Amino acid sequence: MTPRLLVAGIGNIFLADDAFGPEVIRALEDRPLPAGVRVRDYGIRGLDLAYDLLSGHATAVLVDAAPRGHRPGTLSLIEAEPPDGTVPPEAHGMDPAKVLALATHLGDEPLPRILVLACEPAVLPRDDDILPGLSTPVREAVGRAVDALHTLVAALLDDPAGPLPPLGRPMESGTPRSAALPGIAPGGAEDR
């Protein structure tokens, strides 16, 4: 039986704060989520994630670093809108918007509810610079993200389509918009 909920850590461990998702997944080893949840570090394997999004989960929570214009270490919980066909699918790489487009392209069924637990990065290297290790504010956000996941997962297991629980400060919740996905520029002043 397919778990009802997928928690997916995404990011490159060699690109500073981009490693936030994999670090949160590693921290969950000490504080595991309940039964009914599949937890996996996808790293930069977008094709694997696209196929897993089609495997019958009711909800998927993507844990990632995402520049949204906030103070480094700020956590945001955003409900992503389904792909609208304007983002081209891509089988190589881990751009979440392109992974969702690929999953939509590969499958005949609708995608699960997609949530993004995002952390505002302080350091994201340019080009192909290798810079392992999280910045201090992002490293400090890992424990808060684990706490947030425990709160969020409990609510989602109870009601996968229900409202998102408030996660407190220094976190925020956002309404659904395509700008919720990492790599997409904010759509309006309310996102800044």
Side-chain angles (χ1 to χ4, degrees):
M1 183 170 131
T2 301
R4 295 184 336 180
L5 178 61
L6 172 67
V7 174
I10 58 177
N12 190 325
I13 62 170
F14 298 111
L15 298 180
D17 290 343
D18 195 49
F20 175 73
E23 287 296 325
V24 170
I25 298 306
R26 186 169 20 173
L28 284 170
E29 291 173 7
D30 294 330
R31 292 184 52 207
L33 294 171
V37 181
R38 180 176 184 206
V39 177
R40 185 165 179 206
D41 175 8
Y42 287 88
I44 56 173
R45 296 180 318 276
L47 185 60
D48 290 350
L49 176 58
Y51 277 115
D52 282 352
L53 289 173
L54 298 170
S55 64
H57 303 288
T59 309
V61 179
L62 309 181
V63 183
D64 194 14
R68 295 185 43 79
H70 301 294
R71 188 177 26 159
T74 300
L75 297 177
S76 300
L77 180 61
I78 308 108
E79 184 157 2
E81 294 177 344
D84 62 5
T86 61
V87 176
E90 181 180 296
H92 305 288
M94 183 50 97
D95 177 327
K98 291 179 180 181
V99 169
L100 294 179
L102 177 62
T104 300
H105 179 75
L106 292 172
D108 294 330
E109 300 154 11
L111 293 179
R113 182 181 191 186
I114 305 288
L115 304 173
V116 181
L117 179 59
C119 181
E120 184 72 32
V123 178
L124 288 177
R126 298 280 183 213
D127 302 320
D128 289 331
D129 294 340
I130 293 176
L131 186 59
L134 298 177
S135 66
T136 299
V138 173
R139 187 178 334 104
E140 291 171 352
V142 169
R144 292 193 325 271
V146 169
D147 292 341
L149 284 169
H150 277 273
T151 300
L152 180 61
V153 162
L156 291 171
L157 288 174
D158 186 47
D159 182 3
L164 301 177
L167 301 177
R169 293 280 178 204
M171 301 178 208
E172 56 193 52
S173 295
T175 55
R177 45 175 90 82
S178 59
L181 294 173
I184 297 177
E190 69 274 11
D191 286 329
R192 293 188 182 107

